[in-house]
Amino acid sequence: KRKYPRYSRGGDVLIKTGWSPKHREEYVHMVPHVAFDKVVEVMAAVSSSKEVFRADDVVGKGDVPPYQSYVVLAFLRERGAVKDVRRGSYGFAKPASFAADAAMLWDTVPHE
């Protein structure tokens, strides 16, 4: 049985492959590297002013479609750069090095 979500890269795009129980099939969301960097930039600004943040502090900011912001947030949570504090609230594992850690995590994503 496959584990979902799965993250991969196709060129300069982060690809999230998930499973839809309703449609009983895989779905794919793609985030260009430029959008990934914009979300990380917004999150880095948040990390300098807030210890705990909500998705609303990040989603839809920086001219990035909301679904792409959610994909980046989920990816960074899965990889440990962002942690769950309580339902709907998140914190940064290492606020001081968050942006550099996120850039490094991008480089660890396997190519499709």
Side-chain angles (χ1 to χ4, degrees):
K1 197 171 183 177
R2 295 186 136 189
K3 182 184 177 234
Y4 294 98
R6 292 190 319 270
Y7 296 94
S8 60
R9 276 182 24 212
D12 221 19
V13 176
L14 177 67
I15 302 166
K16 175 188 177 187
T17 305
W19 179 257
S20 171
K22 181 178 179 181
H23 299 292
R24 302 180 61 91
E25 64 185 9
E26 288 184 340
Y27 66 87
V28 174
H29 289 301
M30 296 185 189
V31 180
H33 196 183
V34 171
F36 180 91
D37 287 343
K38 285 182 181 179
V39 174
V40 168
E41 186 179 310
V42 168
M43 292 177 77
V46 169
S47 76
S48 67
S49 63
K50 293 185 176 185
E51 196 171 308
V52 175
F53 69 98
R54 299 181 54 79
D56 292 347
D57 295 325
V58 176
V59 173
K61 309 288 193 286
D63 295 325
V64 175
Y67 81 92
Q68 291 182 350
S69 298
Y70 280 114
V71 169
V72 174
L73 179 58
F75 169 75
L76 294 171
R77 281 179 53 221
E78 181 186 275
R79 299 297 169 103
V82 173
K83 57 187 178 180
D84 291 316
V85 175
R86 60 187 167 275
R87 185 179 175 97
S89 296
Y90 309 96
F92 298 94
K94 298 178 188 172
S97 63
F98 170 74
D101 293 344
M104 182 196 68
L105 289 171
W106 172 274
D107 292 335
T108 67
V109 179
H111 289 273
E112 230 182 27

